[in-house]
Amino acid sequence: MNNLLMLCCLIFIQPLISSAKFYPCDRKLIGSTCYVLNITIEPEESHATVMFEDARRLVIEHSAIPTFSELLFHNLPDVESITLKGGNITAVNFSSDTLTSLRIDKTGLQNLSISPEPNHSLNTLLINRNFIVTLPKSIRYLYALSILDLSQNRIEYINLDWFQQMNNLLVLDLSWNRIARMDASSELRLPRLKNFFVSYNHLSQIPWFPIGFPKLERIRLAENYWNCAWVASMRKQIWDRRIRLFDSDGACSENSEGGLCCYDQVPVDIPARYELIEIEFQEQADGVIFEKKAPEPARMMLAEQPAVDGEEKTCVRLGDKIQSLKREMLALVKQKAEMEQQYSKKVAAMQETLRSVREDLEAAEQEVTRYRYKERMDMIDRTGRISTGTEPIANA
């Protein structure tokens, strides 16, 4: 009977073994980081039989996996961190109870789904330089997130209530998108959020800001279409709470409030910022070859802006280019100053550490000297080579 049962099991398992695909590490670094390069996993393949080499951190680069399915996540129960970089991964269906970090960088991602079940393991989610337009509402189930970076995508709408239950969220980066609208309820509270970045979007205001951000310390707001009344109302709150604004707009064609350009009318014909995504796909997909295009300076047209043509139109374009270059120059100058300040802090910290180490070393040397002196005196007492009257005083 047992032999028959074993035979049946073998008959059932044999097809799975024969169809299984194993992807070893192309290179493996110290610390159990496994790099897998240039693999292809088609959607019609059985993802249940895909296997990777055991590692704590898995990096898949320049690979064609049109859909990174739930089964692929479930086949990696011992992996703590996954990075998907480059290549062609247009859909990710996230589902994992063990993964702590997920990064999706420049894979052509368009569709993201998240299992609508409470997740208490994932604390870092970075999705950058992709083509996501909408976020799944199920992102609210990622309760353990501390870092959420969605910069350099094509997101158009955000509801801040989606992040309400993320009690550990410290960093929320939504910069370099196309967000024209944010919603939030009056009960909005992001209890631990310290860093909030929304620069380079199409926003005119942020609801319940900064009231709904009780621990906020650093913000980036430049290159939006802020409403002047909103900027004026929130500027004093930012000042009173000593929230640090890390960027500004520089020269403004309209009004300026506290370093931010603002407008009394809602902009129309907002240009798409295609230059935010660096398209470098060399392979041909669906008969279309993607090429990297030079960025064009963004230009805003107001509802009451009169039509111009000929030389006037050229002057307007040149003026916009000059303003754009000025803003970039100011941003670079501020970035340089920030980097110099960080460098100075690091040098000071290193000097303080060195001083502390020196003090500890001197204290240790003194302790060793005292120990050796005591040991020598004990030996003299035991051997009696030197009379007690001639012994040096131990405290001297």
Side-chain angles (χ1 to χ4, degrees):
M1 184 66 180
N2 291 336
N3 292 336
L4 180 60
L5 181 61
M6 184 177 297
L7 180 61
C8 293
C9 291
L10 288 174
I11 293 173
F12 177 75
I13 294 173
Q14 186 63 35
L16 294 178
I17 295 175
S18 61
S19 63
K21 278 193 174 182
F22 177 72
Y23 297 98
C25 303
D26 289 290
R27 67 178 188 272
K28 197 168 185 178
L29 302 183
I30 298 175
S32 300
T33 300
C34 172
Y35 288 83
V36 179
L37 310 177
N38 302 306
I39 66 172
T40 299
I41 304 177
E42 298 294 344
E44 60 270 14
E45 296 182 32
S46 176
H47 289 186
T49 60
V50 173
M51 300 175 63
F52 294 90
E53 188 172 338
D54 290 340
R56 289 176 56 195
R57 290 179 286 274
L58 177 64
V59 180
I60 301 177
E61 292 187 359
H62 310 300
S63 297
I65 311 174
T67 299
F68 203 95
S69 66
E70 293 184 4
L71 283 174
L72 290 179
F73 282 107
H74 292 166
N75 289 349
L76 300 165
D78 298 324
V79 176
E80 298 176 1
S81 171
I82 295 178
T83 296
L84 309 175
K85 188 173 183 180
N88 177 29
I89 304 175
T90 57
V92 171
N93 303 329
F94 174 74
S95 177
S96 174
D97 295 328
T98 58
L99 203 65
T100 61
S101 174
L102 174 61
R103 181 184 181 189
I104 308 171
D105 183 20
K106 205 176 181 182
T107 67
L109 183 67
Q110 299 179 24
N111 300 307
L112 172 69
S113 69
I114 297 172
S115 178
E117 298 176 355
N119 183 295
H120 298 280
S121 60
L122 191 70
N123 58 48
T124 301
L125 177 60
L126 300 93
I127 303 177
N128 311 119
R129 298 189 293 176
N130 285 294
F131 306 129
I132 296 177
V133 175
T134 59
L135 289 179
K137 294 181 180 180
S138 53
I139 195 172
R140 69 178 70 215
Y141 290 101
L142 302 179
Y143 296 145
L145 280 184
S146 59
I147 299 176
L148 178 57
D149 184 350
L150 301 171
S151 60
Q152 298 191 59
N153 286 283
R154 298 184 177 181
I155 301 170
E156 297 177 351
Y157 170 77
I158 289 290
N159 189 324
L160 293 173
D161 289 336
W162 294 342
F163 316 117
Q164 180 93 290
Q165 302 301 319
M166 300 178 186
N167 293 326
N168 296 319
L169 190 63
L170 300 175
V171 178
L172 178 58
D173 190 346
L174 302 170
S175 57
W176 293 96
N177 276 283
R178 302 177 184 175
I179 304 171
R181 176 182 167 188
M182 279 190 180
D183 285 338
S185 64
S186 58
E187 293 80 20
L188 175 69
R189 289 296 180 275
L190 302 180
R192 296 187 61 191
L193 190 70
K194 293 184 177 181
N195 304 274
F196 183 56
F197 306 142
V198 292
S199 52
Y200 292 90
N201 277 287
H202 300 151
L203 288 164
S204 60
Q205 62 179 347
I206 302 173
W208 306 105
F209 181 87
I211 298 173
F213 305 71
K215 298 293 184 180
L216 195 61
E217 295 179 0
R218 290 170 286 271
I219 54 174
R220 293 183 184 272
L221 303 175
E223 293 294 338
N224 278 281
Y225 303 107
W226 300 118
N227 176 271
C228 289
W230 179 81
V231 174
S233 66
M234 66 89 183
R235 186 175 61 175
K236 185 178 184 303
Q237 298 180 62
I238 290 178
W239 178 263
D240 292 342
R241 288 177 48 182
R242 298 183 180 180
I243 299 172
R244 298 178 64 185
L245 178 65
F246 272 81
D247 56 5
S248 62
D249 284 326
C252 294
S253 59
E254 293 293 321
N255 301 318
S256 177
E257 286 280 351
L260 296 175
C261 295
C262 66
Y263 306 87
D264 294 323
Q265 300 169 354
V266 178
V268 297
D269 192 22
I270 296 175
R273 289 173 170 166
Y274 292 101
E275 71 274 15
L276 306 186
I277 307 295
E278 299 178 8
I279 302 176
E280 296 177 352
F281 293 113
Q282 299 298 323
E283 65 270 19
Q284 185 169 346
D286 297 331
V288 179
I289 297 178
F290 296 95
E291 298 177 352
K292 185 177 180 179
K293 297 183 178 181
E296 297 182 1
R299 184 163 69 91
M300 186 187 70
M301 297 177 63
L302 296 180
E304 296 183 358
Q305 184 176 4
V308 291
D309 55 2
E311 295 181 357
E312 292 183 3
K313 192 172 182 179
T314 302
C315 290
V316 170
R317 284 200 297 266
L318 289 175
D320 289 343
K321 287 183 179 180
I322 291 172
Q323 289 180 3
S324 178
L325 290 173
K326 285 181 179 179
R327 293 170 186 167
E328 291 179 6
M329 182 185 69
L330 288 172
L332 289 173
V333 169
K334 291 191 174 184
Q335 185 178 7
K336 177 176 178 292
E338 290 176 7
M339 292 177 67
E340 289 177 347
Q341 186 178 10
Q342 292 176 1
Y343 175 77
S344 299
K345 289 181 178 179
K346 287 182 179 180
V347 170
M350 291 176 65
Q351 290 176 343
E352 179 63 23
T353 302
L354 182 59
R355 183 190 65 78
S356 178
V357 169
R358 284 176 176 172
E359 290 179 354
D360 291 344
L361 182 60
E362 291 176 358
E365 289 178 347
Q366 292 176 4
E367 184 66 26
V368 169
T369 301
R370 285 195 295 268
Y371 176 78
R372 288 178 176 174
Y373 182 80
K374 184 178 182 301
E375 189 178 48
R376 188 162 53 248
M377 295 303 298
D378 290 343
M379 182 178 293
I380 291 172
D381 288 339
R382 288 196 304 271
T383 59
R385 292 181 183 177
I386 300 177
S387 62
T388 306
T390 61
E391 294 175 2
I393 299 174
N395 296 329

